[in-house]
Amino acid sequence: LMADTLLQVAVDISQLYGAANSSSSSSSEANNAYGESSDDEAADKDVMVVKDALQLLLRLLEQQPALVQALLLDVDQSQLISVVLVNPHHAALRRQAAELLERLVSSEAHPRLLLWLLQQLAAARAVAQSLPGSSEEFYELLAAMVARMGKAWGALPQQLFAVAAQMLDDEVAALRAAAAAPAPHADVASSGGSSSSSAAAACMLLQGRLQLVLALVRTLDRRGVGADSQGGLIRLLLHDFLFPEAVQQLAAAAGKLDLPSCAAKIEPRCTTASCRKAALELLAELMGDCPGSLEEGVGLLIDLHYQQQTLRGWNMAPRLLRPPGKYMGLKNGGATCYMNAVFQQLFMQP
């Protein structure tokens, strides 16, 4: 009864009393798009009640693992995900809910708990996608649970891996749709306008999706989706999410630049450092253990960054051949001249 009461208190207060204070409309609008609110810093009473309830619930379930079956597995507790974990007003509530769920799974309080949580998170993806500014904790938790699937391969039903495979296909399709859609602009960041906030929220959602795809690729061993023949995810990440400016430079060098559409295509989809890091980590995974994908990805990088004159006109990779029987310095790969000089000095030592 106590555990059920604590859970119901957390859900009800998050849903009914967790809304951000609207006294400051301009700051609230910007913060809500990030999934934050000014009340987070103030730590108002509603937030503290929910946090305390979730912390007490976690202690109770850890001490009495038998309650997990009756409290979570045998009844519909989807609101714990849709109302608390993706709470649009308070990041503190989202973090507390994510900690509760992850610690319960880590403690192995019940063998079905990982399966239950994966099913709940998979079903709630539409909720997280409708609230991009509040999706960070959701996708981090989902990616962590997908990673746990690989460690519990024999203990989980095979249909769950079929669900994960479909999830991977859906997320790759979503990345393609994001690349095809107009890039969100952050040109009013200095004025605190809604365009900047929506761009940040869209990038947060994109970062979460990249992290989830990385976890799915590792767990399902589906690195082949990076190759052009099986999905072309490597090309998509390089051309649209990371280096679209280089693609436009290539088009200009070939006389195929479309000026009217250039401005919309030149902005990368990954606009924050954390989002770019997520894209690069996914690229490294796709190219790491697949020789064909590695060759393809390196070829794309060379085409984008080494086979064209940059705007300043300097050449980073001159096409020089070593004369027969002679020595020749190493090619500069970009900020590698000092390292090359050291290698040449060591090579020439008797």
Side-chain angles (χ1 to χ4, degrees):
L1 179 63
M2 182 183 298
D4 184 65
T5 301
L6 288 171
L7 182 58
Q8 201 59 46
V9 165
V11 171
D12 288 348
I13 293 181
S14 297
Q15 191 170 30
L16 301 176
Y17 305 107
N21 193 336
S22 59
S23 60
S24 169
S25 59
S26 60
S27 62
S28 295
E29 180 183 0
N31 287 333
N32 284 345
Y34 280 87
E36 301 283 353
S37 92
S38 58
D39 288 18
D40 274 344
E41 289 76 19
D44 63 18
K45 294 181 180 179
D46 293 340
V47 174
M48 294 305 299
V49 168
V50 176
K51 289 179 65 176
D52 289 344
L54 290 176
Q55 289 173 352
L56 289 172
L57 177 62
L58 175 61
R59 291 184 182 180
L60 188 59
L61 292 179
E62 287 179 336
Q63 294 176 5
Q64 301 290 333
L67 293 175
V68 173
Q69 178 77 33
L71 185 67
L72 297 179
L73 304 182
D74 290 345
V75 294
D76 180 16
Q77 294 292 2
S78 58
Q79 286 188 320
L80 181 60
I81 307 295
S82 60
V83 175
V84 187
L85 182 60
V86 198
N87 186 280
H89 306 298
H90 300 288
L93 300 189
R94 299 195 297 271
R95 289 191 292 268
Q96 194 67 49
E99 180 184 355
L100 164 71
L101 293 168
E102 187 166 14
R103 283 183 58 178
L104 281 177
V105 173
S106 301
S107 65
E108 299 181 352
H110 197 284
R112 286 179 51 204
L113 197 54
L114 175 59
L115 174 60
W116 170 84
L117 183 53
L118 281 166
Q119 292 172 334
Q120 293 289 327
L121 292 172
R125 281 188 301 152
V127 178
Q129 293 160 16
S130 67
L131 297 167
S134 308
S135 62
E136 181 178 6
E137 293 80 7
F138 173 88
Y139 274 103
E140 286 180 352
L141 181 61
L142 180 52
M145 295 304 103
V146 169
R148 282 184 174 273
M149 286 178 60
K151 302 176 182 178
W153 189 277
L156 296 174
Q158 288 304 305
Q159 58 263 34
L160 183 60
F161 290 90
V163 171
Q166 183 60 51
M167 190 187 304
L168 176 59
D169 293 339
D170 293 343
E171 291 300 325
V172 171
L175 292 179
R176 291 190 176 282
H185 294 287
D187 51 358
V188 290
S190 60
S191 61
S194 60
S195 296
S196 174
S197 301
S198 61
C203 200
M204 182 182 294
L205 176 60
L206 177 58
Q207 176 184 331
R209 284 187 143 147
L210 291 169
Q211 292 170 339
L212 175 57
V213 170
L214 174 61
L216 288 166
V217 165
R218 285 174 173 169
T219 298
L220 301 174
D221 195 16
R222 288 274 303 276
R223 293 168 182 82
V225 297
D228 280 343
S229 59
Q230 300 186 44
L233 192 52
I234 292 175
R235 183 181 298 272
L236 183 73
L237 292 171
L238 290 173
H239 281 200
D240 294 285
F241 291 89
L242 292 170
F243 308 117
E245 182 181 1
V247 175
Q248 297 305 308
Q249 289 184 18
L250 279 175
K256 299 179 180 180
L257 182 64
D258 183 13
L259 285 177
S261 64
C262 179
K265 295 178 180 179
I266 204 169
E267 294 294 334
R269 293 302 187 271
C270 295
T271 57
T272 64
S274 56
C275 189
R276 289 193 294 272
K277 179 182 178 183
L280 290 169
E281 287 177 345
L282 177 56
L283 269 175
E285 186 67 29
L286 293 172
M287 296 165 59
D289 293 328
C290 183
S293 296
L294 177 61
E295 182 179 1
E296 189 174 303
V298 171
L300 289 171
L301 285 169
I302 290 174
D303 289 340
L304 289 174
H305 296 294
Y306 291 103
Q307 299 298 333
Q308 57 176 306
Q309 293 290 331
T310 66
L311 294 176
R312 294 179 176 84
W314 39 268
N315 195 342
M316 298 174 65
R319 294 182 176 275
L320 299 176
L321 298 177
R322 181 174 63 85
K326 302 293 184 180
Y327 297 117
M328 177 182 167
L330 300 174
K331 289 184 180 180
N332 182 17
T336 62
C337 53
Y338 287 104
M339 181 181 69
N340 290 348
V342 171
F343 286 163
Q344 291 171 50
Q345 291 288 336
L346 293 174
F347 178 76
M348 297 301 295
Q349 294 299 314

